[in-house]
Amino acid sequence: MRGFTKSLPFPILLALLLLTSPGVGQEIPSPAQVLGYEMGERFTPVAGLVHYFNRLAGASELVSVHPYGETHEGRPLIQVLVASPAHRARLEEILDRNRELTNPETSEARAREIIASNPAVLYLSYGVHGSESSSPEAALWTAWDLARGAGDVAWVLDSAVVVIDPVLNPDGRDRYVNFYRQAVGVEPNPDRSTLEHSEPWPGGRPNHYLFDLNRDWAWNTQLETRLRLATWSRWSPQVHVDFHEMGYNSSYFFFPPAKPINPIFPEHILSWADRIGRGNAEAFDERGWMYYTAEGFDLFYPGYGDSWPSLVGGIGMTYEQAGGGGAGLVVERSDGSMLTLNDRATRQWVAGKATLRTAAAGRTDLLTGFAAFHRTIDDGIPDILLVPGDDPERVHALVEHLKGQEIQVERATQSFRVQARPHPGFASRQSFPEGTFLIRARQTRGRLAGALLMPEHELDAESSYDISAWSLPYAYGVEAHSVTASPGTFFQPVGELPLPAPSAGPDRVYGYLLTPGFDRMPALVRFLKDEGRAYALPDTFRMNGTLYPAGTFFLSRERNPDLDRKVRDAGLEPLVVPVSTALTQTGRDLGTGSSGSVTLPKVGLFGGEGLSSGSYGAHWFFLEQKLGLPFNRLPLSFINPGNLADYDVLVVPEGMGRPSDQQAEALREWVRAGGTLVAVGSSAQSLGRALGEVEMRSEPQEDLDREERLSRALRTREERRSDRWERSIPGTILKVKLDSGHPLAAGAGADGLDAEMFVLTRGRSFEPKVEFESVVFFPEGPERASGVISETSLERLAQSTWMSEVGLGRGSLILFAEDPLFRMFWYSGFQLYSNAILLGPAF
Ligand SMILES: [Zn+2]
């Protein structure tokens, strides 16, 4: 078609254009006409997707393209709105009224009035995992069908406006598409053992920083998530579909979800997931296509693209087509059948359109349920109190997180008494100080707030799921309580949190003190980058009546030319305490020779093949975006004698197997000469064993007699599964002890507790030994705060080490049994990790 119009002489073309009045008989170009190939014949790169939607918007008055930002690699993020001219004419009014339905105080009568004339808002999200590549192809054809009024969906736009996000993860998508184009031959080869079916590290699934965006909705750590969520309340959709792919030997999955289902979801969400599933089933039955429901994909963890939208009232659903990064343009499945990209995209297209039909046909029910969801938002959800203690920056960081999720937070203008239940692990209290934060359940995002802040969520099945606990007060180390009575009226909404006022200094400033705490670390790093020198004091001390914790930094005038300017430029001014003398009241004086001298370390972070991409990405993101520390990213092949001497700190993310003898020797020599080697998770296991004779805590060996042995061996498959579940620790929150006098523990304790904090554990720990120090450890009888764990597993973890420091020559090995940066939401791990890198070389 494009070629045809090009070849027409200009006057004829003009006449044709004049003949076609907008809307009626207007030529709406198909993806094939614009891109030059039919559905699934090729992979469409992000630029091609955007090009088509712009052309479609140019040709159809039903379609508009709304850019909402750019990825780290500079690719556009867009939403495509498809709406009838009548809806488009009053779009802002429709969206305003739609938002009014999300207000719990909107009366039933007013909701009925709105529902009588408002369309539903239906949101389709494609391609969150870049290598699950069929759904963005389906997005093109779905939009075209809506725009041209294809018979099966022509009437949908009478009852709904549709938002299409064709690719949530553009960087990951193009990583996959570019790989495939490079790998495929003249003809695609269905043989799954060939290179075109084997994505190279790190694969197209994650984003630029190698985060899984389908775990990030509740944590808001990644740019794509933040930009998308910033648009969410504008649309406030009633339905959200997150299109995925699973292994190519499978079929198609749509909702209802598998168990466990978080009981926080009200009936409206579940009954509609079922209703939409039945509509999809009908479309698939008609075509004889294989599919399944209620198996494999649960609705528990709040960071998914199904659960998060459901917590804010939309029917959030995951759809999974067989395919994935190994499927290419065509793949032969293990049963000998062929699966093409066209097959995959067609099913996504059909499922998407069936969903739109079911939702549009049930518009009144859907909107009525949506309004009721919000009117009853606080059913079973308590108000939550967050109490600032000695380290108020922790609660401030948590409040900022909640504000990023558009959860309203209030603050008490006076001290007060109220009946409340402490989160397990914290002590109960009746009286709360002025400045205590309140999160009311009765607000638009109240159910989301409950999901993130309540201590515990009931699990309804012994089945696989993501993590069993995530409660944010534990993640941030903040004292929290559930209110069991009305909290009172002396609260004010929190806007901008005030920065601490700079401390009034003495006339003559001798130097500055900076207490440890993660929110100060980026400013400290800026100071170090400006050739600043800080001295970490090894013990607690008292000055001017204040007790300072071990690990407090002293910024000395003698060792820092231009000290005041450096402090100002680094943004440290509001954070430091000016002092007039080195003499303390108790403890060592500030000029002590026992302090650790902290300068900007030269840091190497290992990445690439041979390491976990997700863990590496998290460390990269943390150092670059959170701490602002300069570092080099290095391949594992860099580990050679002679290469390492320039570095002060080397970091090994998860995934390194047993080092070769040569690697172990190179690392050992470098550590002995003064290097700090930081390793996490499985790499801590392999390097700890190779360099420091550190072993993991293992399952106790049971002494079984013959009868017991036989009965164990003859367990049924079901009994074995149940036993495995009994032993697993699927992301559980436990309280751990800190060696509070250890510099690496400085600033890491939870607020309101004494030398304790919480970890999200999956059950890994080290066997303690007298040869190394346990900076963080599970005490005797470890305390479960939240999530699933059996008594057997608790006993197994008792008196084992979570973070250790192993001295080796002049250097040290700092080992984390688990990655402290897991998904970047466990704030309590940030301080320990920063300490390892900044203080590791200092002591
Ligand atoms: Zn996926």
Side-chain angles (χ1 to χ4, degrees), residues 317-505:
M317 296 174 295
T318 292
Y319 292 2
E320 299 270 353
Q321 161 64 41
L329 282 175
V330 57
V331 66
E332 182 180 354
R333 287 190 277 222
S334 58
D335 65 1
S337 63
M338 294 291 172
L339 176 68
T340 65
L341 179 60
N342 175 268
D343 295 333
R344 291 149 59 198
T346 305
R347 282 158 181 75
Q348 305 276 36
W349 180 46
V350 165
K353 288 198 293 180
T355 301
L356 296 179
R357 285 197 302 271
T358 308
R363 182 193 68 88
T364 308
D365 275 4
L366 186 59
L367 286 169
T368 305
F370 182 74
F373 173 101
H374 289 95
R375 214 163 39 241
T376 59
I377 196 116
D378 50 341
D379 273 7
I381 315 273
D383 295 343
I384 303 281
L385 295 170
L386 303 174
V387 186
D390 296 334
D391 190 359
E393 282 164 28
R394 284 179 179 271
V395 74
H396 287 188
L398 173 50
V399 167
E400 288 299 337
H401 183 151
L402 298 175
K403 284 162 68 185
Q405 295 272 305
E406 292 183 25
I407 292 166
Q408 307 293 324
V409 181
E410 295 165 57
R411 184 160 40 177
T413 54
Q414 60 180 76
S415 63
F416 62 99
R417 298 173 76 84
V418 73
Q419 281 186 353
R421 206 171 39 247
H423 277 35
F426 291 99
S428 72
R429 60 157 86 215
Q430 273 88 49
S431 133
F432 292 83
E434 178 187 344
T436 294
F437 293 94
L438 168 70
I439 297 90
R440 291 187 201 271
R442 196 156 181 79
Q443 59 167 302
T444 294
R445 295 267 166 109
R447 204 155 282 269
L448 175 65
L452 301 184
L453 294 170
M454 283 160 65
E456 186 93 87
H457 297 274
E458 199 183 311
L459 265 163
D460 63 355
E462 289 189 11
S463 49
S464 61
Y465 43 83
D466 189 82
I467 49 178
S468 73
W470 51 79
S471 177
L472 287 178
Y474 298 116
Y476 282 82
V478 168
E479 181 185 339
H481 300 256
S482 301
V483 182
T484 51
S486 167
T489 54
F490 35 81
F491 291 90
Q492 281 182 349
V494 172
E496 288 296 300
L497 286 170
L499 280 173
S503 308

Side-chain angles (χ1 to χ4, degrees), residues 128-129 132 205 212 214-215 242-246 318-320:
V128 66
H129 290 146
E132 300 173 6
R205 178 185 175 92
D212 184 337
N214 190 35
R215 300 292 182 279
D242 199 25
F243 289 91
H244 289 257
E245 287 189 330
M246 55 187 163
T318 292
Y319 292 2
E320 299 270 353

